[in-house]
Amino acid sequence: MKKRILNSISAIVLTILGLNLVSCQEEFSKVIPENNSDSVDVIYGTPKVLLLIVDGARGESVRTSNITNINAILPHSIYSWVSLSEENAAGITSNWANMFTGVNYTKHGVRDNNLENNKFDAYPLLPERIKESSGDTIKMSMISPNAVFLETFGANTKAQKASNDDDVTAKVLTDLKDEKLSFITGHFTAVDAAGKAGGYDVSKPAYKAAIEKFDGQVGQMIKALEARPNYAKENWMVIITSSQGGEYEIPANQNDNTIFSNAALNTFTIIYSPKYSTKFIGKPFIGNKYIGDFMRFERENYAQLDSGENKYFNLDKKDFTIEIKIKKNKGRDNNYSFSYPSIIGKRKHFQGGWGEDPEGIGWVIHLAGESWIFNARGDSGTGEVKADKNLNRGTWNSIAITGQTVDGKRTVKLFTNGELSKEADITGWGSITSSARFRIGFLETFEGWRSDAYLADVKIWQATLSPETVKQYSCEIGVEENHPNFADLVAYYPMNSKDGSMLRDEGPLGAHLKTHGDYPITNLNDFICAPSSEVLSAAVPRNIDIPTQIISWLKVPRQLSWGLDGRVWIDK
């Protein structure tokens, strides 16, 4: 055995330049303390807010348009071209609700454009929060061409129906002359209309023109704001943001298969105050790249140990660890959710309703929804353990399972991208030793269970790797001699060769697997162990941050009982 086992030369790990996620989170974790009230270091003046919401404006398209007025305020802004709308929204009203409740749809109850099941009584809208806390000291206005928008969110404000975006601008300009108003909201819809008609990309002339017209309207409003007689004595914050982006197929070389490549979620956010220093919030560090030629396991493709020591792949009476890299493709329902297809196992068949069939004894790891499961049938019981963390969509994931027997008690632990995902006692299953041949890929079934995924870097250990070791090496490729369990390696399948006839085992057994089926070989260049959507989205502004930002600026005491999901962004 070589002193160092490496992945084939065609697969390398490249570090992608970007903001370091950890440092990003630390840098932007300076939120208002979670106590009974919030405060902001206001130097002088009565705090006031101008909120400008533009539907359908993709951050990337805004960034690359001719936006001289918006660019002019960036030196005194916290801003991002990669801010995000609600990932699970099925309608724009859900995003509007995020922007006026400060919580997502799981709390406010609006996932699409249907408002019937809203929970605004439990999670009141921003104007109601402000009125309840400040009485009539903070007077508000709201202007929109959309009747539903005004009817839903305009209560407790001077709600004004506009005929179009030009009329919105005119009415905002009028309200900016009213010294009594402290919170003005202008809602713009023409950019979204242009995107629906011709495409949500700056390459579409009508869409680009709509963005640039909005920029001109922003210039008028900023000019009117600064012309207020008492402007120098006031303390204004201006938020300019899009409620959501728009569906558009971005170029392949720009697609990183993360939440940031979803054009419908790509927004922009600018938080402007003359007292601010500039603070640019870019896309966080996503991870390393896994590059190489990989076999696609789809339909009934599999690779099997037709000859050799199959006994080493039984999981009874010894400790074990199995590690796999997996990148899912979209399945038959055009999503990343799958119904129980096997990806690796040792049993003669895997199917529902097998009853007492002894042929079903053995183990399998299979996909389930957007997660994965370790499933086994023993001579005295059967069961499954499901990871409670979903796999990232469209990028490489690392999954691992460890098994250990201590004082007769047998337990397994499941890890997703290095993090412990589930632990279970499987002692009652009995012996899961099977006479079946070890295979990677499809297992016989009469169900319509088929996967569509790339598999690689499969390692099988005759030892229980510690959680610390699993986490440390989960996103690395290959095995080096300095690995703490190097001597316990049983088999290692890099699975990154252009040879589709065999999966070579670079471990001590040389237990090569013969492929069965027609395997497409694809050269991939994708991220490995990219942070989850939740982690990534927390590193940039989101539409649920808007109410928290405004409440903080207006010095409205925020209560923990409100359960707000948003955060406050500062320029420090």
Side-chain angles (χ1 to χ4, degrees):
M1 184 176 177
K2 297 177 182 178
K3 293 184 74 175
R4 180 175 180 178
I5 302 175
L6 298 172
N7 213 7
S8 66
I9 194 168
S10 63
I12 59 175
V13 178
L14 296 178
T15 300
I16 306 303
L17 295 176
L19 297 175
N20 181 276
L21 182 57
V22 174
S23 64
C24 177
Q25 289 175 319
E26 291 177 350
E27 184 174 359
F28 295 112
S29 63
K30 305 169 185 174
V31 299
I32 296 299
E34 291 288 353
N35 50 31
N36 287 333
S37 66
D38 296 332
S39 62
V40 174
D41 182 18
V42 178
I43 297 175
Y44 61 88
T46 303
K48 295 178 180 289
V49 173
L50 173 62
L51 171 62
L52 304 178
I53 300 170
V54 53
D55 293 340
R58 282 183 55 213
E60 177 61 18
S61 290
V62 175
R63 183 185 71 83
T64 53
S65 294
N66 182 22
I67 49 168
T68 55
N69 294 290
I70 290 175
N71 284 338
I73 63 175
L74 296 185
H76 296 283
S77 298
I78 304 163
Y79 69 100
S80 177
W81 309 115
V82 292
S83 52
L84 295 167
S85 60
E86 171 61 55
E87 182 180 12
N88 296 295
I92 195 169
T93 307
S94 180
N95 280 309
W96 292 342
N98 276 21
M99 301 179 84
F100 284 97
T101 61
V103 299
N104 67 22
Y105 76 99
T106 61
K107 291 182 179 179
H108 62 58
V110 182
R111 187 169 183 269
D112 49 26
N113 292 323
N114 186 350
L115 286 158
E116 290 182 3
N117 297 318
N118 78 75
K119 301 175 184 175
F120 296 157
D121 54 342
Y123 297 95
L125 302 174
L126 177 60
E128 182 178 343
R129 293 280 196 204
I130 293 172
K131 184 175 178 61
E132 286 182 350
S133 299
S134 63
D136 292 327
T137 60
I138 298 178
K139 297 187 180 300
M140 299 169 279
S141 74
M142 183 175 292
I143 306 154
S144 172
N146 187 292
V148 173
F149 184 94
L150 279 180
E151 291 167 6
T152 305
F153 307 107
N156 297 298
T157 74
K158 184 180 77 171
Q160 304 167 71
K161 177 72 164 59
S163 56
N164 53 37
D165 281 11
D166 287 332
D167 195 24
V168 173
T169 304
K171 285 179 165 57
V172 170
L173 294 177
T174 298
D175 279 358
L176 284 171
K177 297 177 183 178
D178 188 342
E179 296 289 331
K180 296 179 181 179
L181 289 172
S182 295
F183 179 17
I184 302 169
T185 299
H187 175 223
F188 297 79
T189 61
V191 173
D192 191 43
K196 286 178 180 176
Y200 291 87
D201 189 71
V202 71
S203 63
K204 309 300 181 181
Y207 186 69
K208 184 173 184 288
I211 290 173
E212 292 177 354
K213 181 175 181 180
F214 172 72
D215 176 73
Q217 293 164 336
V218 168
Q220 294 179 58
M221 290 179 282
I222 295 295
K223 184 177 180 180
L225 177 68
E226 294 173 344
R228 288 170 59 92
N230 294 316
Y231 176 72
K233 301 177 182 179
E234 296 171 332
N235 188 40
W236 279 91
M237 178 178 69
V238 180
I239 299 178
I240 311 170
T241 187
S242 42
S243 57
Q244 62 182 29
E247 295 289 347
Y248 189 78
E249 186 173 349
I250 66 175
N253 63 353
Q254 297 177 18
N255 188 352
D256 60 20
N257 288 312
T258 71
I259 192 171
F260 293 110
S261 291
N262 188 334
L265 308 183
N266 175 211
T267 64
F268 77 100
T269 300
I270 297 167
I271 306 171
Y272 163 71
S273 167
K275 297 191 300 294
Y276 278 164
S277 300
T278 186
K279 187 62 151 183
F280 170 67
I281 306 167
K283 187 165 68 174
F285 176 71
I286 295 174
N288 297 322
K289 284 288 188 76
Y290 191 12
I291 304 173
D293 298 298
F294 300 95
M295 301 169 68
R296 185 172 181 173
F297 287 79
E298 58 178 344
R299 299 187 299 273
E300 298 182 6
N301 292 342
Y302 68 93
Q304 180 172 278
L305 184 58
D306 288 336
S307 61
E309 295 289 352
N310 260 278
K311 65 181 181 181
Y312 286 102
F313 301 95
N314 287 320
L315 304 181
D316 274 341
K317 298 181 180 178
K318 60 176 177 288
D319 296 342
F320 71 89
T321 300
I322 301 171
E323 297 179 290
I324 306 168
K325 301 296 190 301
I326 178 170
K327 176 186 180 292
K328 295 190 298 181
N329 300 302
K330 287 186 177 181
R332 62 187 180 187
D333 296 326
N334 199 36
N335 59 34
Y336 293 96
S337 181
F338 290 87
S339 298
Y340 318 121
S342 61
I343 57 175
I344 188 171
K346 190 175 187 292
R347 65 199 306 175
K348 289 192 175 179
H349 57 67
F350 171 56
Q351 57 202 27
W354 57 56
E356 300 300 323
D357 181 5
E359 296 292 304
I361 288 179
W363 64 272
V364 64
I365 294 175
H366 65 86
L367 302 177
E370 294 210 31
S371 187
W372 62 283
I373 285 176
F374 174 71
N375 180 299
R377 178 176 181 79
D379 59 7
S380 61
T382 185
E384 64 181 29
V385 185
K386 183 177 181 180
D388 59 8
K389 294 182 184 293
N390 288 342
L391 299 175
N392 293 329
R393 300 171 179 176
T395 63
W396 286 102
N397 294 265
S398 173
I399 63 176
I401 177 171
T402 65
Q404 187 173 31
T405 302
V406 178
D407 296 330
K409 181 180 179 180
R410 191 158 177 76
T411 58
V412 293
K413 294 179 181 180
L414 277 59
F415 299 82
T416 303
N417 291 323
E419 300 296 333
L420 180 62
S421 203
K422 200 73 171 181
E423 181 175 358
D425 183 346
I426 65 169
T427 309
W429 298 359
S431 173
I432 57 177
T433 291
S434 170
S435 60
R437 298 186 179 280
F438 170 68
R439 65 165 60 177
I440 296 175
F442 177 75
L443 282 176
E444 299 297 335
T445 177
F446 57 69
E447 312 279 2
W449 300 341
R450 305 292 186 272
S451 71
D452 190 347
Y454 295 97
L455 305 173
D457 200 51
V458 175
K459 308 180 186 83
I460 299 178
W461 310 80
Q462 197 165 321
T464 303
L465 272 60
S466 69
E468 294 76 19
T469 298
V470 171
K471 183 170 185 175
Q472 179 180 352
Y473 292 93
S474 61
C475 300
E476 293 192 9
I477 307 302
V479 188
E480 296 188 5
E481 192 176 31
N482 62 1
H483 190 288
N485 294 90
F486 185 76
D488 301 310
L489 187 68
V490 172
Y492 171 50
Y493 301 95
M495 299 170 62
N496 57 353
S497 169
K498 291 184 178 180
D499 178 10
S501 65
M502 180 180 294
L503 300 187
R504 297 193 63 82
D505 174 19
E506 295 189 8
L509 298 179
H512 309 309
L513 308 184
K514 178 176 174 51
T515 59
H516 298 257
D518 180 20
Y519 284 86
I521 305 292
T522 308
N523 185 266
L524 300 178
N525 183 348
D526 296 294
F527 288 99
I528 182 170
C529 297
S532 66
S533 296
E534 292 79 7
V535 171
L536 289 174
S537 62
V540 299
R542 298 167 293 174
N543 54 23
I544 58 173
D545 296 338
I546 300 302
T548 312
Q549 190 80 28
I550 291 172
I551 285 170
S552 178
W553 186 265
L554 293 176
K555 296 193 285 189
V556 173
R558 185 178 78 203
Q559 307 300 318
L560 290 175
S561 60
W562 292 357
L564 299 181
D565 295 327
R567 63 184 294 182
V568 178
W569 295 87
I570 62 176
D571 65 327
K572 302 297 187 292

